[in-house]
Amino acid sequence: MSEYNYTNQTAPAGKPVSKSSGIVSFIMGLLSVICPWSSFVAIIMSIVGLVLSTKAAKDGDTSGFVKAGRILSIVGLILSLLAILLIICYLIFCVILGIGLGIAEANFHF
């Protein structure tokens, strides 16, 4: 006799898994990675991507779009925060040197 039971077992009938949240999280994460220079928009897109990937994972979607969406959203969030930090550092540098405010040019006129 065989030790294995080859009966046809089916999964319980339930709500079908929708893949739309995973796909949208992937798209949002991808857009936030592609355009981090628009920092505030990219931060919003990456947060939406993270929320949607978490929602899709809780709903039972195990596709690669969910994992890729989560990873891309995290990378996009990090890149956007770094872009904001670089912009702030650049503005502080410009203020310290007086560039862009006309201060440096005003000192040379007598």
Side-chain angles (χ1 to χ4, degrees):
M1 250 173 134
S2 175
E3 295 179 20
Y4 300 104
N5 185 5
Y6 292 108
T7 60
N8 187 8
Q9 297 178 356
T10 60
K15 185 171 85 170
V17 178
S18 172
K19 306 249 186 229
S20 63
S21 293
I23 293 171
V24 172
S25 72
F26 174 75
I27 292 170
M28 292 297 220
L30 186 64
L31 288 175
S32 68
V33 168
I34 289 174
C35 53
W37 58 86
S38 61
S39 301
F40 298 108
V41 175
I43 287 175
I44 292 171
M45 287 190 293
S46 60
I47 290 172
V48 169
L50 280 171
V51 169
L52 287 176
S53 65
T54 304
K55 178 185 174 292
K58 285 183 181 179
D59 289 344
D61 186 2
T62 58
S63 68
F65 283 115
V66 175
K67 295 173 188 171
R70 180 174 290 146
I71 292 169
L72 286 173
S73 295
I74 291 170
V75 171
L77 185 63
I78 291 170
L79 288 176
S80 300
L81 292 175
L82 284 175
I84 289 175
L85 183 66
L86 286 174
I87 290 170
I88 291 171
C89 288
Y90 175 74
L91 290 175
I92 291 172
F93 179 74
C94 287
V95 168
I96 289 173
L97 292 180
I99 299 172
L101 299 176
I103 296 171
E105 294 174 10
N107 290 335
F108 293 113
H109 297 290
F110 292 116

